[in-house]
Amino acid sequence: MAPSLKMFFFLLSTLSIIPPSHLQHPLDSLNPNEFVRVQAIANQSYPFSHNNLTFQYIGLNEPDKQPLISWLEKLNNLPSPPPPPPPREAFVIARINHETHELVVDLSCDEIISDRVYEGNGYPLLTFEEQIDANRLVFEFAPFLASIAKRGLKVEEVVCESFTVGWFGETKRTGRIVRVMCYYLDGTVNLYMRPIEAITVTIDLEAMKVVHFKDRLMVPVPKGDGTDYRESRQKPPFGPELKRITVVQPDGPSFTIDGGRVRWANWDFHLSFDARVGPIVSLAAVYDTEKQQFRRVMYRGFVSELFVPYMDLTEDWSYRTFFDAGEFGYGLCAVPLEPLRDCPANAVFKSAFVSGRDGMPIEIPNVFCIFERNAGDVMWRHTETMIPSGLVTEVRPDVSLVVRMVSTVGNYDYINDWEFKQIGSIKLTVGLSGLLEVRGTKYTHKDQIHEEVYGALLAENTLGAHHDHFLTYYLDLDVDGESNSFVKSKLQTVRVNDQSSPRKSYWKVVSETAQTESDAKVKLGLDSADLLVVNPNRRTKMGNFVGYRLIPGSVAGPLLTADDYPQIRGGFTEYNVWVTPYNKSEKWAGGTYVDQSRGDDTLATWTSRNRRIENKDIVLWYTLGFHHVPYQEDFPLMPTISTGFELRPANFFENNPVLKVKAPNVNIRWPNCSI
Amino acid sequence: MAPSLKMFFFLLSTLSIIPPSHLQHPLDSLNPNEFVRVQAIANQSYPFSHNNLTFQYIGLNEPDKQPLISWLEKLNNLPSPPPPPPPREAFVIARINHETHELVVDLSCDEIISDRVYEGNGYPLLTFEEQIDANRLVFEFAPFLASIAKRGLKVEEVVCESFTVGWFGETKRTGRIVRVMCYYLDGTVNLYMRPIEAITVTIDLEAMKVVHFKDRLMVPVPKGDGTDYRESRQKPPFGPELKRITVVQPDGPSFTIDGGRVRWANWDFHLSFDARVGPIVSLAAVYDTEKQQFRRVMYRGFVSELFVPYMDLTEDWSYRTFFDAGEFGYGLCAVPLEPLRDCPANAVFKSAFVSGRDGMPIEIPNVFCIFERNAGDVMWRHTETMIPSGLVTEVRPDVSLVVRMVSTVGNYDYINDWEFKQIGSIKLTVGLSGLLEVRGTKYTHKDQIHEEVYGALLAENTLGAHHDHFLTYYLDLDVDGESNSFVKSKLQTVRVNDQSSPRKSYWKVVSETAQTESDAKVKLGLDSADLLVVNPNRRTKMGNFVGYRLIPGSVAGPLLTADDYPQIRGGFTEYNVWVTPYNKSEKWAGGTYVDQSRGDDTLATWTSRNRRIENKDIVLWYTLGFHHVPYQEDFPLMPTISTGFELRPANFFENNPVLKVKAPNVNIRWPNCSI
């Protein structure tokens, strides 16, 4: 969760002030110029020379929805001159003289137009710099050095990481503290497999001093052999080598990227980036060939929050209950993608900017890749044998568009795919890879273990801790417009009692339109229902409401008790599906201030107001999850495991939107190629 | 479900007697020679000149498991001379003089070694020929022709299809009957969108005569406009055209196919084909780089049965409750795959043979395609920012092997993928496409409908009937050998009561080893548990049992009441997961004789014996399903919707089996290619 200083300089060295090469879209991420201006504007109000000011978060203050939609609609008429866009604003969360300030900066007139001190519970996103400082500070703390020496470890091989501390019912506020845990390198890069257990250093980030230290007990550090995953360090025997394989597009890709705007096949959407949530897809519209126009599907969508609670209740572990977006920044933790490995050969890459603690822009190169996916799947087919004149076979292969970003939050790598399909679906997939958090232990064989160890023994001295991952997606679907409803098409068994039918049962659909927020809360797995966001003001020619269906993949729900502090903080995971009335301030499901939050400002608390959500601008929230019982295959690094869900047209179109897609005529023969 | 006569001749014309070009494997599908010999041997015992004999099913009588495994093990030692393989046998279900015979034919000595008359409930697979005959017969039935004329339809544009009738509690046996329903072409090939409702002709297949006729009411036939899916018939505007995209493998594919045996990366398995179940994967073993040997994963796997009940209780529909494998033959209904459309450019195709009613072999060309899938996914990755010497990034792209077959059972196309992954997983996916069964109706708008119509109005006069699809997979996993156990690793919430921890709860794993069959029945969606097949006699170095985990995708369970006749017949869908002790005769989950079965010989009845399944040769059965509420996008042909599941190593390997796979060095630049 904190990069080394060296990487930091690497990132800074690639900084360049890039003037916008395209007309800026109101939803574009802040560009480097804008970060610099925010910094300068803040300096004017709070001169850095005698104010203690750190920028914890700088992001686009998205324009109000209605004015933006009006402006976009006006633009469609190609007026001359074009109407001015909504003003660019930045939303800033800064720590100023040990207070949390929320600033709104108007970038058109270079002014702070709002400056509010937040006095509630919780603290902002952590910056990389303060984590690096904290991680380094321990090495100036004599008792820590003594603990390292006591264990016979070489201090120059120790690296440390900052962990958020959560909240466990304390009434007093502790200030912004982290717990620093340390790991051992000494010949491997896989620090996470070599925890130096039971040394906990608590550091006050703002005083930048150690406020608590505990060396609880001595536990063997797992050995480094077999933990390194670098190719250069592997010894035979190696895995089987496959023959070369790649994707080719002789005429280039089918998509166009114009600034933040991406167009491909029948899709048109805007892509931006945010330090807190990572990728944001906005204004997604799909072209209706019959109606000869683009139709709105989703106003804005992104990963709102993650909740990663560990189930290890040993003293040094029990607090580990992380919120990767609100505490560490899902976008801030995004990493450059490797061409030909993270993304296939036909991918195009885009960079994005985040800000450092000092407000200066930092480029994350290749943070997105965009590519057409040619997995060999079938979009539709039928073989008809009943036609007297002969066999009829029609098949259309599936090609889709993928937008990918990887966020590496410390040990875990989250591979995020937004996949746009010609049939009008958006498929969201998250793949988990990277490294487990493991606890060092004296045990070297399962048979030695007769106590609860809260995990599985993966290797000698190495327990893979049980934990969960929940990702909550914010999905402001605007199906053919903002006024939508959430409908549960419940499949209900009907018992047939009369003798008229040889059947005794069937299922029917009972449609329930959610009127208030409590109607829309869904725990998946219990009932059978199709879940739809419909536009009750728009019907197809057949009279069905136009809509989109949410199709879950594998499902998981929380197993912590509702009163457990992390579960209170992560209350947005209680249901897999929630629907709220659109409210611009409700976007971060765990609240704005998640570090040490107390659960008083989450999606769960907002929806307890039970507001009306029928035929209104509504937002769909979807939580998927994994319960992770580690297996030895996850050692020393996890093969990707994926899950996801689909947003699929449901009576949105009058009929199959890809019926009239022509079969491709691709017959590219390799022998005519040279390498 | 029955091909036209023309296609039939097409298939016959491609027949050739192919001598085996490789040493035959005991699990190879029957080859054409063997079909011919079965026919000849049967003719000897039951001369066709004066016996009424039809072959309903001819397939490999798989060798007994233990002798086969012993033989394979002996072969591994490369003995000279090699020991003789188990004898080749065919299993034949024939109707002989109106009785159902089960014959076992020894193909080494050309003898019937077993001939048993089946006297229980139910009838064998239907043949194409008898369905074609029945479909044609209606055109010689005057009342039917009158009904067609009454509706103003051109009889030459009418095509008919045979439907199985099911069983609804009748005590008397009706003999082998089908109901014939008809459809209208007249300018389209999409007959299924143009049902001629409410004319039902019941035909006795063995007498080949009409035994019942009902013309219940007149219903408009939906119009043909907008139903045709042939590319040649589409009118603009067309869907967006994408730029060309293909996969290339300059050095050819990485897999080798030697008869039925496929080898790719770390996988080795046998592939065969059966008229009833379609593809069979046998002897799947994965190479353990550390142990330097292949290790057994699955002895045999296939789709055992499908259950497709419709929820339309109108008189002409209520009986429609189909079992696509046991009634129609999932393999018999397999269709030739289209190169470059059903399968990508790097696919290799294989044919297979089934038998006709007369026992003669019929080739299904291109029934399988095998290809390496390059979807652009990531097999594993990590970016490490904490190393003082610099950023470390390691990424391995994922390439997997897919074996695909498509079965078109009348209207529906089932796309079956067996995907083998380098991480040691087998992922099974089924995609549904093709055509809905729709009921013709007078309604042209939803607002006109004030009665239960058991479906959704998709187009004028067109109701898409509610229905389910369940597929039950037979998975004889032999994890490192036959003696396995089924373990539920239940995740249980533990409330922490003492004050020692700031936490109030966590979840722990409670492992339950199933002792008898009832322990192993699982309805998914209710509890959180990892489901494992383990070898309790084999442990990793850490002491964990080696195993494989079943990871479900989306889940669905039956909604019919348990006493509803179709649900009795389809009782194998009651649970998503079952485990039985290996029993060679237990392979077809709906029983051997599914047509008009009474549910007395299904997976559900077998397991009611509650046999012991701990540390034994066990079989895992997995049922996935879709509840299908049709939407207008499904008209006139459905875009593919997919689901599946994964069998993933769980402590099978000592550590990540693909850690030492080298990153590919593929940098093929297109400009050097010509088309």
Side-chain angles (χ1 to χ4, degrees):
Chain A
M1 296 155 201
S4 69
L5 216 53
K6 199 146 193 171
M7 177 195 105
F8 206 84
F9 287 141
F10 165 82
L11 290 172
L12 281 174
S13 70
T14 63
L15 172 69
S16 49
I17 307 297
I18 299 169
S21 59
H22 65 96
L23 205 64
Q24 192 161 55
H25 189 287
L27 294 177
D28 279 348
S29 325
L30 294 180
N31 64 52
N33 266 327
E34 290 170 324
F35 282 118
V36 170
R37 280 157 61 208
V38 162
Q39 187 200 47
I41 293 158
N43 184 44
Q44 277 176 359
S45 297
Y46 295 96
F48 300 159
S49 46
H50 42 277
N51 282 281
N52 200 323
L53 186 150
T54 56
F55 294 92
Q56 306 299 122
Y57 168 82
I58 305 176
L60 177 74
N61 192 39
E62 43 181 296
D64 288 337
K65 187 171 177 179
Q66 279 310 317
L68 178 65
I69 288 174
S70 303
W71 178 75
L72 290 164
E73 279 167 1
K74 285 194 199 118
L75 270 194
N76 278 340
N77 302 327
L78 300 170
S80 190
R88 292 281 284 177
E89 293 176 0
F91 181 65
V92 180
I93 301 175
R95 288 287 289 178
I96 307 178
N97 303 324
H98 309 297
E99 290 185 316
T100 298
H101 285 246
E102 292 178 11
L103 310 173
V104 178
V105 179
D106 185 321
L107 292 164
S108 59
C109 57
D110 278 5
E111 260 183 50
I112 296 176
I113 59 176
S114 167
D115 184 350
R116 180 177 98 85
V117 174
Y118 172 71
E119 291 177 332
N121 294 314
Y123 299 107
L125 259 181
L126 272 57
T127 66
F128 279 158
E129 294 89 331
E130 63 195 341
Q131 294 174 67
I132 292 170
D133 289 348
N135 298 340
R136 209 160 7 110
L137 189 67
V138 300
F139 292 91
E140 298 166 24
F141 189 68
F144 172 79
L145 297 171
S147 291
I148 295 298
K150 186 168 73 165
R151 287 162 171 75
L153 303 172
K154 293 171 265 185
V155 69
E156 65 272 18
E157 297 296 334
V158 175
V159 289
C160 302
E161 185 177 46
S162 298
F163 285 62
T164 46
V165 301
W167 169 73
F168 291 91
E170 302 93 342
T171 41
K172 213 164 86 83
R173 288 185 192 165
T174 56
R176 302 181 64 238
I177 58 170
V178 292
R179 290 206 183 94
V180 173
M181 306 294 295
C182 300
Y183 303 84
Y184 205 50
L185 296 170
D186 198 31
T188 183
V189 293
N190 198 342
L191 53 126
Y192 291 100
M193 292 306 108
R194 309 198 72 192
I196 304 169
E197 286 298 333
I199 304 175
T200 309
V201 191
T202 307
I203 291 182
D204 180 316
L205 289 174
E206 304 213 329
M208 201 42 73
K209 54 191 256 260
V210 176
V211 294
H212 190 261
F213 174 81
K214 186 160 186 182
D215 179 350
R216 192 166 69 86
L217 80 158
M218 300 257 289
V219 180
V221 174
K223 63 182 200 273
D225 283 349
T227 64
D228 210 326
Y229 47 86
R230 288 175 293 182
E231 187 175 333
S232 54
R233 301 304 168 101
Q234 303 308 316
K235 298 184 182 58
F238 297 105
E241 274 190 61
L242 298 182
K243 297 217 173 117
R244 293 178 298 168
I245 187 167
T246 193
V247 59
V248 288
Q249 293 200 271
D251 313 311
S254 312
F255 53 84
T256 59
I257 304 176
D258 176 21
R261 192 164 179 189
V262 182
R263 273 169 271 211
W264 172 81
N266 48 353
W267 280 101
D268 186 331
F269 60 91
H270 180 276
L271 178 65
S272 62
F273 188 82
D274 174 80
R276 180 143 174 168
V277 304
I280 302 177
V281 171
S282 304
L283 305 175
V286 68
Y287 191 75
D288 187 324
T289 315
E290 241 183 72
K291 293 188 182 351
Q292 296 264 288
Q293 63 183 52
F294 275 94
R295 295 169 61 195
R296 295 169 57 188
V297 177
M298 185 176 74
Y299 180 70
R300 215 146 153 84
F302 49 85
V303 172
S304 176
E305 190 55 90
L306 292 86
F307 178 38
V308 187
Y310 281 77
M311 300 300 141
D312 188 321
L313 263 52
T314 56
E315 186 179 322
D316 322 285
W317 277 72
S318 64
Y319 68 94
R320 299 193 198 193
T321 50
F322 305 112
F323 294 83
D324 292 341
E327 292 179 341
F328 297 102
Y330 203 49
L332 198 63
C333 293
V335 292
L337 297 168
E338 289 262 308
L340 303 181
R341 296 179 189 191
D342 275 316
C343 311
N346 61 336
V348 163
F349 293 83
K350 272 173 74 75
S351 300
F353 288 85
V354 293
S355 54
R357 172 170 62 179
D358 60 1
M360 289 296 283
I362 299 171
E363 185 180 18
I364 307 180
N366 295 352
V367 77
F368 286 126
C369 71
I370 301 170
F371 62 93
E372 283 164 283
R373 188 162 179 267
N374 184 40
D377 293 331
V378 174
M379 186 163 70
W380 61 255
R381 79 168 326 283
H382 186 63
T383 295
E384 188 51 66
T385 61
M386 299 263 285
I387 308 303
S389 54
L391 194 72
V392 173
T393 305
E394 293 283 342
V395 186
R396 302 291 178 272
D398 191 42
V399 175
S400 57
L401 185 78
V402 175
V403 176
R404 174 170 296 165
M405 179 214 78
V406 171
S407 186
T408 302
V409 190
N411 53 307
Y412 253 103
D413 294 62
Y414 295 91
I415 303 157
N416 299 271
D417 284 1
W418 284 78
E419 185 180 7
F420 295 84
K421 300 183 76 69
Q422 296 179 66
I423 63 170
S425 285
I426 304 174
K427 285 186 86 163
L428 288 98
T429 307
V430 64
L432 270 56
S433 186
L435 311 167
L436 288 172
E437 270 194 39
V438 303
R439 175 158 67 87
T441 173
K442 61 188 179 185
Y443 299 119
T444 56
H445 194 275
K446 190 176 177 184
D447 291 349
Q448 302 161 0
I449 304 175
H450 305 290
E451 55 166 337
E452 176 66 74
V453 290
Y454 309 104
L457 193 71
L458 306 182
E460 289 185 352
N461 307 110
T462 310
L463 286 167
H466 296 152
H467 61 284
D468 294 328
H469 298 267
F470 296 99
L471 278 82
T472 296
Y473 289 77
Y474 172 103
L475 304 160
D476 181 8
L477 296 184
D478 281 355
V479 177
D480 255 353
E482 297 95 72
S483 293
N484 291 168
S485 295
F486 178 70
V487 174
K488 294 183 195 172
S489 288
K490 291 184 157 182
L491 307 195
Q492 288 185 354
T493 303
V494 179
R495 186 171 260 296
V496 175
N497 287 316
D498 59 53
Q499 302 308 310
S500 64
S501 180
R503 290 278 292 272
K504 294 189 177 177
S505 68
Y506 67 102
W507 55 258
K508 69 174 182 180
V509 172
V510 176
S511 267
E512 291 179 5
T513 300
Q515 299 191 314
T516 63
E517 294 177 272
S518 60
D519 295 338
K521 296 179 185 178
V522 178
K523 279 192 217 247
L524 292 169
L526 304 174
D527 299 317
S528 298
D530 278 10
L531 304 176
L532 309 159
V533 175
V534 305
N535 188 323
N537 311 295
R538 296 276 168 92
R539 302 216 281 172
T540 63
K541 289 183 194 154
M542 289 301 109
N544 295 305
F545 292 124
V546 305
Y548 259 74
R549 174 160 71 122
L550 165 67
I551 307 181
S554 55
V555 299
L559 291 171
L560 297 179
T561 55
D563 63 344
D564 202 355
Y565 297 106
Q567 188 59 40
I568 294 172
R569 299 174 65 218
F572 54 87
T573 63
E574 191 186 345
Y575 292 91
N576 297 104
V577 180
W578 317 69
V579 177
T580 55
Y582 176 81
N583 180 325
K584 188 179 162 189
S585 68
E586 292 176 5
K587 48 182 185 171
W588 297 327
T592 306
Y593 300 102
V594 182
D595 176 31
Q596 297 181 50
S597 62
R598 300 190 180 191
D600 47 39
D601 182 34
T602 73
L603 173 59
T605 56
W606 310 331
T607 66
S608 64
R609 281 172 279 174
N610 207 23
R611 298 162 293 183
R612 294 200 67 81
I613 51 168
E614 185 176 4
N615 197 13
K616 293 191 59 172
D617 191 358
I618 57 177
V619 175
L620 176 70
W621 305 76
Y622 179 68
T623 299
L624 55 75
F626 297 85
H627 294 298
H628 198 162
V629 176
Y631 294 98
Q632 288 185 227
E633 286 82 4
D634 295 330
F635 179 90
L637 179 149
M638 289 174 287
T640 305
I641 192 163
S642 302
T643 193
F645 63 102
E646 182 178 355
L647 300 168
R648 191 179 176 103
N651 298 328
F652 186 76
F653 295 105
E654 293 292 346
N655 46 53
N656 180 334
V658 291
L659 183 70
K660 301 208 273 183
V661 166
K662 293 189 178 176
N665 202 359
V666 185
N667 205 346
I668 302 169
R669 289 272 154 257
W670 182 254
N672 295 329
C673 300
S674 57
I675 301 119
Chain B
M1 297 160 203
S4 71
L5 215 53
K6 199 146 194 176
M7 177 197 103
F8 206 82
F9 289 140
F10 165 73
L11 290 173
L12 282 174
S13 69
T14 62
L15 171 71
S16 49
I17 308 295
I18 299 168
S21 58
H22 65 95
L23 205 65
Q24 191 161 56
H25 190 288
L27 293 177
D28 280 349
S29 325
L30 294 180
N31 64 51
N33 265 327
E34 291 171 323
F35 283 116
V36 170
R37 281 158 59 209
V38 163
Q39 187 198 50
I41 292 159
N43 184 44
Q44 278 178 355
S45 297
Y46 296 96
F48 299 160
S49 47
H50 42 278
N51 282 283
N52 201 323
L53 187 151
T54 56
F55 293 91
Q56 306 299 120
Y57 169 82
I58 305 177
L60 177 74
N61 192 39
E62 42 181 298
D64 288 338
K65 186 170 177 180
Q66 280 310 319
L68 178 65
I69 289 175
S70 302
W71 178 76
L72 289 164
E73 281 169 1
K74 287 193 199 121
L75 271 193
N76 279 340
N77 303 327
L78 300 169
S80 187
R88 290 281 283 179
E89 291 176 2
F91 180 64
V92 179
I93 300 175
R95 289 287 288 177
I96 307 179
N97 301 325
H98 310 297
E99 290 187 317
T100 299
H101 285 246
E102 292 178 11
L103 310 174
V104 177
V105 179
D106 184 321
L107 292 164
S108 59
C109 58
D110 278 5
E111 259 183 51
I112 296 176
I113 58 175
S114 169
D115 184 350
R116 181 175 97 85
V117 174
Y118 172 71
E119 291 178 332
N121 295 312
Y123 298 106
L125 259 181
L126 271 57
T127 66
F128 280 157
E129 293 89 334
E130 63 195 342
Q131 293 175 67
I132 291 170
D133 289 348
N135 299 341
R136 209 158 7 110
L137 190 67
V138 300
F139 292 91
E140 298 166 25
F141 189 67
F144 172 79
L145 295 172
S147 291
I148 295 298
K150 187 169 69 168
R151 288 161 170 75
L153 304 172
K154 292 172 265 185
V155 70
E156 63 274 19
E157 296 295 335
V158 176
V159 289
C160 301
E161 181 170 66
S162 298
F163 284 61
T164 47
V165 301
W167 171 71
F168 292 90
E170 303 93 341
T171 42
K172 215 165 85 85
R173 288 187 192 163
T174 54
R176 302 183 62 240
I177 58 170
V178 292
R179 289 204 182 95
V180 173
M181 307 293 296
C182 299
Y183 303 84
Y184 206 50
L185 296 171
D186 198 31
T188 182
V189 294
N190 198 342
L191 53 127
Y192 291 100
M193 292 304 108
R194 309 199 73 193
I196 304 169
E197 285 300 331
I199 304 176
T200 309
V201 191
T202 307
I203 290 181
D204 180 315
L205 289 173
E206 302 213 331
M208 200 43 71
K209 55 188 257 255
V210 176
V211 295
H212 189 259
F213 175 80
K214 185 162 185 180
D215 179 351
R216 192 167 67 85
L217 80 159
M218 299 260 286
V219 180
V221 174
K223 64 183 199 276
D225 284 348
T227 65
D228 210 326
Y229 47 86
R230 288 176 290 181
E231 186 174 335
S232 54
R233 301 305 168 100
Q234 303 309 316
K235 297 184 181 57
F238 298 105
E241 272 190 63
L242 298 181
K243 299 217 173 116
R244 294 178 296 168
I245 186 168
T246 192
V247 58
V248 288
Q249 293 201 272
D251 314 310
S254 310
F255 52 84
T256 59
I257 304 176
D258 176 21
R261 193 161 177 193
V262 182
R263 272 170 270 211
W264 172 81
N266 47 353
W267 280 101
D268 185 330
F269 60 91
H270 180 273
L271 179 66
S272 63
F273 189 81
D274 175 79
R276 179 142 177 170
V277 304
I280 302 176
V281 171
S282 305
L283 305 174
V286 69
Y287 190 75
D288 187 324
T289 316
E290 242 184 72
K291 292 187 184 351
Q292 296 264 288
Q293 62 183 55
F294 274 94
R295 295 170 61 196
R296 295 169 57 187
V297 178
M298 187 177 72
Y299 181 71
R300 212 144 155 86
F302 50 85
V303 173
S304 176
E305 189 55 90
L306 292 86
F307 178 37
V308 186
Y310 281 77
M311 299 301 141
D312 187 321
L313 263 52
T314 55
E315 186 179 323
D316 323 285
W317 277 71
S318 64
Y319 69 94
R320 299 193 198 195
T321 50
F322 305 113
F323 294 84
D324 292 340
E327 293 178 341
F328 298 102
Y330 202 49
L332 199 62
C333 294
V335 292
L337 296 168
E338 289 261 308
L340 303 182
R341 298 181 186 187
D342 275 316
C343 310
N346 61 336
V348 162
F349 294 82
K350 273 174 72 78
S351 300
F353 288 86
V354 293
S355 55
R357 173 171 61 180
D358 60 0
M360 288 299 282
I362 299 170
E363 185 180 20
I364 306 178
N366 296 353
V367 78
F368 287 126
C369 70
I370 300 170
F371 61 94
E372 283 164 282
R373 188 162 178 267
N374 185 41
D377 293 331
V378 173
M379 185 164 70
W380 61 254
R381 78 166 327 281
H382 187 63
T383 296
E384 188 51 67
T385 61
M386 300 261 285
I387 309 302
S389 54
L391 193 71
V392 173
T393 305
E394 293 282 343
V395 186
R396 303 292 179 273
D398 191 44
V399 174
S400 57
L401 184 78
V402 175
V403 175
R404 174 169 296 163
M405 181 213 76
V406 171
S407 184
T408 303
V409 190
N411 53 308
Y412 253 104
D413 294 62
Y414 293 92
I415 304 156
N416 300 270
D417 284 0
W418 283 78
E419 185 180 8
F420 295 84
K421 300 182 77 67
Q422 296 178 67
I423 63 169
S425 285
I426 303 174
K427 284 185 88 163
L428 288 97
T429 307
V430 63
L432 270 55
S433 186
L435 312 168
L436 287 171
E437 270 194 40
V438 303
R439 175 157 67 86
T441 173
K442 62 186 178 187
Y443 298 120
T444 55
H445 193 277
K446 190 177 175 184
D447 291 350
Q448 303 161 359
I449 305 175
H450 305 292
E451 54 164 339
E452 177 64 75
V453 289
Y454 308 105
L457 193 70
L458 305 183
E460 290 185 353
N461 308 110
T462 311
L463 287 166
H466 295 152
H467 62 282
D468 293 329
H469 298 265
F470 296 100
L471 279 81
T472 296
Y473 290 77
Y474 172 103
L475 304 160
D476 181 9
L477 297 184
D478 280 355
V479 178
D480 254 353
E482 299 94 70
S483 293
N484 292 169
S485 295
F486 178 70
V487 174
K488 293 183 196 172
S489 289
K490 292 185 157 179
L491 307 195
Q492 287 184 357
T493 303
V494 178
R495 188 173 257 297
V496 175
N497 289 317
D498 57 57
Q499 303 307 310
S500 64
S501 179
R503 289 279 291 273
K504 295 189 178 177
S505 68
Y506 66 103
W507 55 256
K508 70 174 180 179
V509 172
V510 175
S511 265
E512 291 178 5
T513 300
Q515 298 191 314
T516 63
E517 292 176 272
S518 60
D519 295 338
K521 296 178 186 177
V522 178
K523 277 191 218 249
L524 292 168
L526 305 174
D527 298 317
S528 299
D530 278 10
L531 304 176
L532 307 160
V533 174
V534 305
N535 188 323
N537 312 294
R538 295 279 167 90
R539 301 216 279 173
T540 62
K541 290 183 193 150
M542 287 303 108
N544 295 305
F545 292 123
V546 304
Y548 259 73
R549 176 160 69 122
L550 164 69
I551 307 181
S554 54
V555 299
L559 290 171
L560 298 179
T561 55
D563 62 345
D564 201 354
Y565 296 107
Q567 188 58 41
I568 294 172
R569 299 173 64 217
F572 53 89
T573 63
E574 190 188 346
Y575 292 91
N576 297 104
V577 180
W578 318 68
V579 176
T580 56
Y582 176 81
N583 180 324
K584 189 180 163 190
S585 68
E586 292 175 8
K587 48 182 185 173
W588 297 327
T592 305
Y593 301 101
V594 182
D595 177 30
Q596 299 183 49
S597 62
R598 300 189 181 192
D600 47 39
D601 182 34
T602 72
L603 173 57
T605 56
W606 310 331
T607 65
S608 64
R609 282 173 277 174
N610 206 24
R611 298 164 290 184
R612 294 199 68 79
I613 51 167
E614 185 177 4
N615 198 13
K616 293 190 62 170
D617 191 358
I618 57 177
V619 175
L620 176 70
W621 305 75
Y622 179 67
T623 299
L624 55 76
F626 297 85
H627 295 299
H628 198 162
V629 176
Y631 294 96
Q632 287 184 226
E633 287 83 5
D634 295 331
F635 180 90
L637 181 149
M638 289 174 288
T640 306
I641 191 164
S642 302
T643 191
F645 63 101
E646 183 179 355
L647 300 168
R648 189 178 177 104
N651 297 329
F652 186 78
F653 296 104
E654 292 292 345
N655 46 52
N656 180 334
V658 291
L659 183 70
K660 300 208 273 182
V661 166
K662 292 189 177 171
N665 202 357
V666 184
N667 205 347
I668 301 170
R669 289 274 155 255
W670 180 253
N672 294 329
C673 300
S674 57
I675 301 120

